[in-house]
Amino acid sequence: MEKQCVLVTGGAGYIGSHTAVELIAAGYDVVIADDLSNSDLRAVEGVRRITGVEVPFEQVDCCDREALGRLFRQYRFDSVIHFAASKAVGESVHEPLKYYRNNLTSFLNVVELMRATGRPNIVFSSSCTVYGEADAQPVTERTPRKPATSPYGNTKQMCEDVLRDAVAAYEGLRGIALRYFNPIGAHPSALIGEQPQGMPQNLVPYVTQTAAGIRECLSIFGDDYPTPDGSNIRDYIDVTDLARAHVAAIRRMCGGARRADYEVFNIGTGRGVSVLELVRRFEQVNGVKVNHRIVGRREGDIVAIWADPTLANEVLGWRAERTLDQTLASAWAWQKHLCGME
């Protein structure tokens, strides 16, 4: 039987690079495509070092339909995992047009080319932001989507709708949207991890950079939310666990066991952790101090959200395995690797 090949758009990014590793470990061939606008070629080298495979890499902007079309003609693959997108909630509030142009155009190009070239399977990198400020926790896949609290979240809702409608209209196209929660941590090898360009937009890289002395102080956005300690609550999932969920989704689409051609799954741990709790846990696990201060709330943030991952557990055969302590230790190991502190 011919080995299956998966195109990973945005594969030089944080989640994409970890997913490439897990795909290769599961026996798939992988092609990585990325425009390197918010990623680093060193991530591709890390994937190659971890796997021992000279993974093909193509520098392509998915918004460039002609260039993306050449990629589709060059490689034989039947599945796509689409990560390529701008991803910072706060930035999207201040630069909405950038997010609508990049996230929607890139996704439309991928789906159109899949249809034109007969590539049947796509896994879309969605987000728990589609639930907005949910009425109850944890959220299930049946929890109503609410108006997005940021342009970033709105692009995820819109792309889900595009995929749902395209799958319904075009025979042979199958799609799974993975609504995942807050990925953190790094590969256990410390060869790949989250490496933001400039000021970190996500919590854990800011925590690790502050602990390493790169940043003077961590800003915590609000301590007056209606939560036990006043800080936001999120479902923090290890990035390698998240990467495995994408492998499980590919297997489901290729294995003929689907109940429908379009499916949605929450990918989280099922446990909510506050920002302040996470910072304290990071300090305890790694034996370091993180200077922090409370500042005003950040636009686009919701109070609390965490997942009910039961459907993914039962249907995909996937579940989160790594503990929060393991994940926070891996994040610090990655930061020390970047700083030469080993």
Side-chain angles (χ1 to χ4, degrees), residues 149-183:
T149 58
S150 69
Y152 165 77
N154 202 26
T155 66
K156 293 299 184 182
Q157 290 186 349
M158 294 169 77
C159 286
E160 281 192 2
D161 293 345
V162 168
L163 182 57
R164 179 202 62 210
D165 293 345
V167 164
Y170 307 127
E171 185 177 357
L173 187 63
R174 300 185 290 266
I176 289 179
L178 298 183
R179 293 173 177 167
Y180 39 82
F181 287 66
N182 288 63

Side-chain angles (χ1 to χ4, degrees), residues 9 16-17 19 39 61 109 170 183 187 225 228 233 250 269 279 309 316 320:
T9 68
S17 59
T19 299
S39 56
D61 181 354
N109 284 344
Y170 307 127
H187 191 268
Y225 286 98
I233 293 176
I250 290 290
T269 68
V279 172
L316 294 181

Side-chain angles (χ1 to χ4, degrees), residues 64-341:
D64 184 340
R65 195 180 190 285
E66 184 177 339
L68 190 62
R70 289 194 294 269
L71 180 70
F72 270 69
R73 292 189 294 272
Q74 181 178 353
Y75 291 96
R76 294 187 63 183
F77 52 84
D78 62 0
S79 300
V80 178
I81 302 179
H82 182 66
F83 293 108
S86 300
K87 62 178 185 176
V89 170
E91 182 188 49
S92 77
V93 173
H94 299 287
E95 295 192 55
L97 294 183
K98 169 185 174 181
Y99 276 70
Y100 287 118
R101 181 179 298 110
N102 187 41
N103 294 7
L104 298 180
T105 303
S106 62
F107 186 63
L108 286 168
N109 284 344
V110 168
V111 175
E112 285 173 350
L113 284 165
M114 289 183 66
R115 182 192 175 210
T117 58
R119 312 297 170 83
N121 306 313
I122 181 167
V123 178
F124 172 59
S125 165
S126 192
S127 167
C128 64
T129 58
V130 302
Y131 296 113
E133 197 75 68
D135 292 330
Q137 304 295 337
V139 296
T140 74
E141 291 80 1
R142 295 180 300 280
T143 298
R145 295 189 329 182
K146 286 196 169 183
T149 58
S150 69
Y152 165 77
N154 202 26
T155 66
K156 293 299 184 182
Q157 290 186 349
M158 294 169 77
C159 286
E160 281 192 2
D161 293 345
V162 168
L163 182 57
R164 179 202 62 210
D165 293 345
V167 164
Y170 307 127
E171 185 177 357
L173 187 63
R174 300 185 290 266
I176 289 179
L178 298 183
R179 293 173 177 167
Y180 39 82
F181 287 66
N182 288 63
I184 62 172
H187 191 268
S189 67
L191 291 174
I192 54 174
E194 190 167 8
Q195 191 173 359
Q197 296 184 359
M199 190 71 71
Q201 299 291 323
N202 295 330
L203 174 61
V204 170
Y206 215 124
V207 168
T208 62
Q209 289 188 16
T210 303
I214 298 169
R215 307 290 170 189
E216 182 179 348
C217 189
L218 167 70
S219 294
I220 293 178
F221 298 105
D223 64 348
D224 59 348
Y225 286 98
T227 63
D229 63 17
S231 64
N232 299 103
I233 293 176
R234 297 290 185 267
D235 186 336
Y236 295 99
I237 180 170
D238 189 278
V239 67
T240 55
D241 279 339
L242 176 58
R244 289 189 301 100
H246 294 80
V247 178
I250 290 290
R251 282 178 172 155
R252 180 164 176 79
M253 284 193 294
C254 296
R258 297 175 317 283
R259 289 175 295 180
D261 285 337
Y262 174 67
E263 295 179 296
V264 174
F265 298 95
N266 284 339
I267 306 298
T269 68
R271 179 189 173 215
V273 176
S274 78
V275 171
L276 286 169
E277 181 185 354
L278 183 134
V279 172
R280 287 193 295 268
R281 196 76 209 136
F282 180 88
E283 292 178 324
Q284 293 167 0
V285 167
N286 296 302
V288 294
K289 181 67 177 172
V290 179
N291 295 324
H292 61 274
R293 66 176 183 269
I294 307 298
V295 299
R297 295 185 180 189
R298 182 173 59 179
E299 291 179 284
D301 278 347
I302 62 173
V303 176
I305 190 165
W306 63 93
D308 178 345
T310 302
L311 190 65
N313 298 162
E314 295 178 350
V315 175
L316 294 181
W318 169 93
R319 67 185 59 250
E321 296 177 354
R322 291 176 64 80
T323 67
L324 180 62
D325 287 2
Q326 289 174 317
T327 302
L328 294 175
S330 73
W332 183 232
W334 164 245
Q335 184 66 63
K336 290 191 292 185
H337 170 74
L338 288 176
C339 297
M341 298 166 60

